[in-house]
Amino acid sequence: MILRRAARPLLASIFIFGGIGALRDVQGHAKAAEPLITGAFDKADGLVPERVPRDPATLVRIDAAVKIGAGFALATGRAPRLAAVALLGSLVPTTLASHRFWAETDPVAKAGQQVHFLKNAGLAGGLLLAVGDTAGKPSLGWRARRAAKKAGKRAERLGKKAERSRTD
C-alpha cells in the first residue's frame, strides 16, 4: 500500500539521523545518558548480568546502531514490525535521558524539553501503530485461534464418528 511506503520512511528518518548524530557525538550523548544509566544499574543491582556493558559511551553506540539498523529496516519494509519494536525500545530510554522536563528549573528550557518529550511520545504512538500493522494479513494470534478452533471442530467430529462406529 502506498501509505505504508510513504509513512515508514518518514517515521524512520528521525531515528536514522538521530543514530548518526549520536555516533558523531558519543561523549555528549553519553554525558546526558549517564545519570539515567547509573540510576538504572543501581536499581537493578544483581539482576543485570555482568556481561551487559555499563559504560555510557558503549551503550550510546549500541543505541545508535539499533536506531540506524532498525530505522533502515523500517524504512525499507524489511521486518517492519520487529524494527518498530526495536525503535520503541530505544526511544524510551533516550526520551527519559534527554528530555527530563520535570528536572528543569528554567521555564524556557522546561518548555523546550516538554515539546521534545511530547514529540517522542508522538513517535512512540507511530511506532505502536507500526508494531500492530499486519499489512492487511491476519495476525499470528488470529491465525493461532482459528487453527485451534478448526482443530477442536475436527476432534469433535472424529469423536462423534468414533462413537457412532462403536455403537454399530
Side-chain angles (χ1 to χ4, degrees):
M1 174 188 242
I2 192 86
L3 182 62
R4 282 182 194 89
R5 289 182 190 215
R8 286 177 179 159
L10 289 171
L11 181 57
S13 64
I14 194 165
F15 295 100
I16 296 167
F17 287 102
I20 292 168
L23 288 178
R24 287 184 175 161
D25 182 22
V26 171
Q27 294 310 316
H29 283 79
K31 186 177 178 183
E34 189 168 9
L36 179 72
I37 292 168
T38 303
F41 279 117
D42 287 347
K43 287 178 185 172
D45 191 34
L47 298 174
V48 180
E50 290 299 318
R51 286 180 270 160
V52 173
R54 287 166 165 70
D55 172 44
T58 302
L59 292 172
V60 165
R61 286 184 186 98
I62 291 169
D63 182 62
V66 167
K67 282 184 169 99
I68 294 168
F72 275 116
L74 180 63
T76 59
R78 300 222 174 15
R81 295 175 75 194
L82 180 62
V85 167
L87 291 171
L88 190 57
S90 172
L91 181 64
V92 172
T94 298
T95 302
L96 294 175
S98 301
H99 305 302
R100 303 170 53 87
F101 67 89
W102 55 90
E104 287 290 340
T105 54
D106 177 35
V108 173
K110 184 174 190 150
Q113 289 303 329
Q114 261 182 323
V115 167
H116 287 296
F117 185 91
L118 292 172
K119 172 206 48 144
N120 283 9
L123 288 170
L127 289 170
L128 286 171
L129 287 172
V131 167
D133 180 20
T134 60
K137 298 175 189 165
S139 69
L140 288 177
W142 181 88
R143 287 187 246 176
R145 287 189 300 276
R146 184 169 184 246
K149 188 185 277 187
K150 277 185 169 183
K153 286 182 181 180
R154 272 191 234 125
E156 191 177 312
R157 278 187 301 221
L158 286 173
K160 287 179 182 178
K161 188 176 180 182
E163 195 174 299
R164 279 193 306 254
S165 66
R166 270 191 265 143
T167 58
D168 289 343

